[in-house]
Amino acid sequence: MAENTEYFDKVAQAVVDCDKDTCLRLLAEGSDIDPLETLEKGLGKGIRQIGDDFGTGKVFLPELIGAADVMKSGVAVLDERIKASGQDRQSQGKIVIGTVKGDIHDIGKSVVASMLQANGYDVVDLGIDVDAAAFLEAAQEHKADCVAMSSLLTLNIEYMGVVVEKLKEAGIRGQVKVVVGGAPVTQEFADEIGADAFGWDASDAVKKVGALLAK
């Protein structure tokens, strides 16, 4: 067990160091180690550490982005092993996330998605330029607990309100929490469109989702 602990720490450090090559090499070498444990105690530990460091100003956006990229690649490897082993990840909740229609910015949304995964959430990433119908369809298909939306363009944040209305029209708004974020988004705007929470950065978004779903 002590040997595995050392291994998990190395995987976590590769995430913190934004070192994808080392991370993937370690995952290949540790193919006989429980992938669920590696996900939680290795990749998850690393991305949570970088998130905490970002929150306290020890690291900055480039490091956060790099770590999220490593996390994403590592999760892809481990998810295949988890499926092959017949195991299931215990989910803290299902999150549908995407950058809204008209905006092709991917980085912030991807960082949030990676950190949600690291904290035990089952994440359905719809990508960029996502319209209201796609958010609704995914929320219904996956029985989402939360819809998370991002935009870095001031003109496009209004579209978040369109998505909220679509959820209302479909009669599922009461079952789905809505979290919004992005540089031009404010708490006042979130309140205006009827969102449940506003995340001012990736770490804050994860905390807000946790608080909402805990209720």
Side-chain angles (χ1 to χ4, degrees):
M1 187 63 184
E3 181 180 343
N4 283 357
T5 299
E6 183 179 348
Y7 170 75
F8 297 142
D9 287 345
K10 287 180 179 178
V11 173
Q13 191 59 49
V15 175
V16 172
D17 293 339
C18 306
D19 190 342
K20 186 186 296 187
D21 290 342
T22 295
C23 180
L24 294 178
R25 175 178 59 77
L26 287 167
L27 294 183
E29 292 173 355
S31 59
D32 59 335
I33 297 175
D34 185 340
L36 280 169
E37 278 200 285
T38 304
L39 180 61
E40 170 61 25
K41 300 177 182 177
L43 294 177
K45 178 181 178 181
I47 199 70
R48 286 192 295 271
Q49 179 62 57
I50 205 80
D52 289 344
D53 288 347
F54 179 76
T56 57
K58 291 181 181 178
V59 301
F60 301 97
L61 188 58
E63 289 88 354
L64 190 64
I65 293 168
D69 185 48
V70 176
M71 169 81 183
K72 188 174 183 178
S73 297
V75 167
V77 172
L78 293 178
D79 270 347
E80 287 300 315
R81 290 184 192 165
I82 291 167
K83 290 174 186 174
S85 69
Q87 299 183 79
D88 286 314
R89 278 198 279 164
Q90 185 172 0
S91 176
Q92 299 299 314
K94 184 157 286 188
I95 317 295
V96 167
I97 189 171
T99 303
V100 298
K101 184 180 172 85
D103 192 335
I104 60 172
H105 289 93
D106 186 61
I107 291 173
K109 178 268 301 171
S110 294
V111 170
V112 173
S114 292
M115 291 190 65
L116 285 167
Q117 284 183 313
N119 282 273
Y121 295 97
D122 191 2
V123 178
V124 179
D125 189 344
L126 300 180
I128 59 175
D129 193 26
V130 183
D131 65 21
F135 275 112
L136 174 60
E137 182 180 346
Q140 292 175 318
E141 177 185 347
H142 298 283
K143 296 181 173 59
D145 299 295
C146 177
V147 168
M149 295 180 279
S150 171
S151 180
L152 290 183
L153 302 176
T154 303
L155 291 176
N156 292 84
I157 63 173
E158 296 293 339
Y159 194 77
M160 294 177 177
V162 175
V163 178
V164 173
E165 288 304 312
K166 199 79 170 176
L167 296 173
K168 288 180 181 176
E169 290 170 10
I172 66 168
R173 178 65 184 91
Q175 291 82 52
V176 181
K177 301 298 183 184
V178 175
V179 179
V180 295
V185 181
T186 63
Q187 183 62 60
E188 290 74 21
F189 173 76
D191 293 340
E192 180 184 316
I193 65 169
D196 295 292
F198 155 65
W200 62 273
D201 66 12
S203 297
D204 188 49
V206 173
K207 289 175 185 175
K208 294 289 176 57
V209 169
L212 286 172
L213 298 193
K215 294 177 183 177

